Amino acid sequence: MYMQNQLLVFAGSTRQQSFNRKLAQATAAIARDAGAQVTLLELSDFNIPLYNADLEAQGTPADVIRLKEILWRHPAWVICSPEYNGSYTALLKNTIDWTSSPAQGHPDWHDGTKPFRGKVVGMLSASPGALGGLRSQSHLAPLLINLECWLAPKAWALGSAANAFDEAGTLVQPGHRDRVRAVVDQVLWASERLTAGTP
Ligand SMILES: Cc1cc2nc3c(=O)[nH]c(=O)nc-3n(C[C@H](O)[C@H](O)[C@H](O)COP(=O)(O)O)c2cc1C
């Protein structure tokens, strides 16, 4: 049940051998070991077309509504962002655009910012390159702030990602696992405080 979960982890890639999907899986495992309730989301589980306002005028797709609901139910997120051309992926942008667009006339989702407002978000990225997709984070950050997310000051970019995982998808280097854990800890720490006293 998504409702019981606290931390949402997802990657901005649906590629089968995606480093960012592996990083998301490793992050979920590390967060569970730390005692968190985790939802590991795969964007490939959602049938979401390329955003087009004419299409939206015919009705927001059911999977967009489903994803809005899941985002809204989780107070803390970690996004693993691949880097394409110094920025984040079209998949991530399309997903965020759809889920932040008001569903006109819908009783729950006419407020576009609702799934994003007040979320504590940790940014991770992975790339085969040396910078680890760090530049994708610098583009993603203002977008998330614009949607009223709280960004964790700690973030991390995994460079040379092709060498970072073993066959089971575990991060091989303890130092890498520590960096992920530090982001997870900070995200959970902040979200617990921001949501204290709310049902
Ligand atoms: C169109 C395109 C542009 C890319 N640009 C960058 C880039 O600017 N910086 C970088 O580190 N990697 C870049 N890459 C390589 C990606 O980091 C690499 O394909 C990576 O595996 C994608 O993430 P994933 O493994 O999670 O799917 C690019 C890849 C593509 C397809």
Side-chain angles (χ1 to χ4, degrees):
M1 266 294 279
Y2 285 125
M3 275 178 72
Q4 293 166 352
N5 292 340
Q6 175 187 24
L7 181 68
L8 182 69
V9 183
F10 62 96
S13 174
T14 52
R15 197 170 71 86
Q16 202 63 34
Q17 293 299 322
S18 160
F19 301 121
N20 287 277
R21 288 184 58 241
K22 287 182 185 173
L23 185 58
Q25 286 160 19
T27 301
I30 287 167
R32 285 184 184 122
D33 283 350
Q37 298 278 327
V38 182
T39 301
L40 179 61
L41 189 89
E42 293 283 0
L43 291 182
S44 57
D45 289 342
F46 297 82
N47 185 12
I48 296 181
L50 199 57
Y51 181 82
N52 177 309
D54 294 337
L55 191 61
E56 187 179 39
Q58 296 165 26
T60 300
D63 271 10
V64 172
I65 299 290
R66 189 160 70 92
L67 188 51
K68 280 174 181 277
E69 176 91 22
I70 293 167
L71 294 173
W72 179 71
R73 289 203 179 281
H74 291 78
W77 308 349
V78 171
I79 302 177
C80 299
S81 172
E83 181 171 291
Y84 282 4
N85 293 313
S87 188
Y88 52 87
T89 57
L91 171 69
L92 203 49
K93 183 73 162 68
N94 192 56
T95 302
I96 293 172
D97 287 347
W98 266 115
T99 51
S100 64
S101 186
Q104 301 296 344
H106 194 287
D108 298 322
W109 303 110
H110 51 84
D111 172 1
T113 314
K114 180 176 168 183
F116 292 83
R117 188 178 299 117
K119 304 304 174 187
V120 178
V121 184
M123 289 187 302
L124 298 175
S125 58
S127 159
L131 293 180
L134 187 62
R135 292 175 302 172
S136 75
Q137 297 183 20
S138 68
H139 284 196
L140 187 58
L143 180 150
L144 293 170
I145 288 170
N146 197 48
L147 289 168
E148 301 185 36
C149 294
W150 299 87
L151 286 196
K154 268 192 213 295
W156 183 56
L158 168 64
S160 305
N163 306 319
F165 301 94
D166 66 16
E167 287 199 350
T170 305
L171 280 168
V172 178
Q173 293 190 32
H176 288 175
R177 297 198 292 273
D178 291 347
R179 299 298 292 268
V180 171
R181 173 71 191 257
V183 173
V184 165
D185 282 349
Q186 195 174 62
V187 166
L188 292 172
W189 183 91
S191 84
E192 272 170 29
R193 278 151 187 80
L194 273 174
T195 56
T198 57

